Amino acid sequence: MRILVVEDDKDVAGFVVKGLREAGHAVEYADNGRDGLFLAASENFDAIILDRMLPGGIDGLRLLETLRAQDNTTPVVFLSALTQVDDRVRGLKAGGDDYLTKPFAFAELLARVEALARRGKGDGPATRLAVSDLEMDLLSRSVRRGTQKIDLQPREFRLLEYLMRHAGQVVTRTMLLEGVWDYHFDPQTNVIDVHISRLRQKIDKPFEQPLLHTVRNAGYMLRAEEA
């Protein structure tokens, strides 16, 4: 996806932009409302992540109201330190599609943005995931590779689901800690390595073609090898 981030806090913006790019998305960035409005109005994006309080004479609410007045329907997620109910209601009434308060978990932000983009394309919620001959049924909580059923523990299932939802993308350790273990810090343990190893034993070892790949100094990727 192509995503616009409008955020004046350089630390927050750097964290979000880095995470989105690691997840395989193209990102444009503006640190004030005026530049953000120019980019949002003049270019096409799949989603916009928008701060409420912005310098440049145009805050997040005014920016979004201007876009909606131009019939721009790009999905927008507010990312704001304004946490009161009235603040969230104002953001949604201005045309926002979602509202996430700071501090936040990047995995949740990514999931919300991707969900909004899917909704904008008219896709229903997925109940089956597939990568090559590996298939996951989210309703029956079952996994198969080819004709062989694969038994997974709950955490292994959640790990594989996360990897399959990000198939073809590099998934970092930070993303896995937040998205699978709900850790918003690095516990400095080998919990990820242990579970990745167990998962490989089940989904790759008995089969000719490996699907779960280590991307050196980056993370992991679930994909079929190209012929």
Side-chain angles (χ1 to χ4, degrees):
M1 293 193 303
R2 189 160 186 260
I3 300 170
L4 172 63
V5 176
V6 187
E7 167 64 65
D8 67 315
D9 186 315
K10 287 184 168 45
D11 290 335
V12 172
F15 174 69
V16 170
V17 169
K18 179 173 180 289
L20 291 172
R21 286 175 176 160
E22 286 179 346
H25 300 298
V27 184
E28 294 290 335
Y29 164 61
D31 63 1
N32 65 79
R34 193 171 299 278
D35 291 343
L37 179 58
F38 175 78
L39 284 170
S42 61
E43 300 187 28
N44 292 321
F45 294 95
D46 296 296
I48 298 171
I49 298 172
L50 180 62
D51 190 12
R52 277 281 306 270
M53 297 181 290
L54 293 168
I58 301 176
D59 66 7
L61 285 179
R62 185 175 167 200
L63 188 159
L64 181 54
E65 287 168 346
T66 303
L67 285 181
R68 295 300 188 239
Q70 297 171 352
D71 294 326
N72 186 316
T73 59
T74 304
V76 172
V77 178
F78 274 112
L79 186 61
S80 177
L82 299 173
T83 62
Q84 298 300 312
V85 172
D86 287 348
D87 295 319
R88 299 198 296 271
V89 169
R90 286 187 68 195
L92 296 172
K93 283 190 173 182
D97 298 277
D98 203 348
Y99 196 110
L100 188 61
T101 59
K102 302 173 184 176
F104 61 95
F106 175 75
E108 182 181 4
L109 174 63
L110 180 63
R112 290 187 184 214
V113 169
E114 291 179 341
L116 282 177
R118 285 196 305 272
R119 191 185 309 163
K121 293 174 182 175
D123 297 339
T127 60
R128 300 179 72 89
L129 303 174
V131 177
S132 186
D133 59 345
L134 178 66
E135 297 184 358
M136 171 180 284
D137 189 315
L138 297 172
L139 298 180
S140 66
R141 309 293 288 179
S142 62
V143 176
R144 288 185 172 275
R145 182 154 186 196
T147 59
Q148 184 171 327
K149 187 175 185 295
I150 298 174
D151 293 319
L152 299 177
Q153 296 298 316
R155 186 73 68 179
E156 294 167 348
F157 186 94
R158 190 172 175 183
L159 173 59
L160 181 59
E161 178 185 353
Y162 193 91
L163 290 166
M164 293 184 78
R165 288 188 183 278
H166 296 82
Q169 303 173 9
V170 174
V171 175
T172 66
R173 293 177 65 89
T174 299
M175 291 168 66
L176 289 176
L177 285 170
E178 290 190 348
V180 180
W181 278 270
D182 297 318
Y183 289 157
H184 306 313
F185 62 95
D186 189 342
Q188 302 296 320
T189 71
N190 64 345
V191 62
I192 292 178
D193 308 274
V194 169
H195 280 78
I196 288 286
S197 177
R198 288 177 183 167
L199 197 55
R200 276 203 173 107
Q201 292 291 319
K202 295 182 177 183
I203 69 169
D204 275 349
K205 191 170 182 181
F207 304 94
E208 184 177 340
Q209 183 189 52
L211 297 177
L212 182 49
H213 306 273
T214 298
V215 182
R216 192 167 183 177
N217 298 324
Y220 305 94
M221 182 185 295
L222 193 71
R223 62 174 171 81
E225 291 283 13
E226 296 180 0

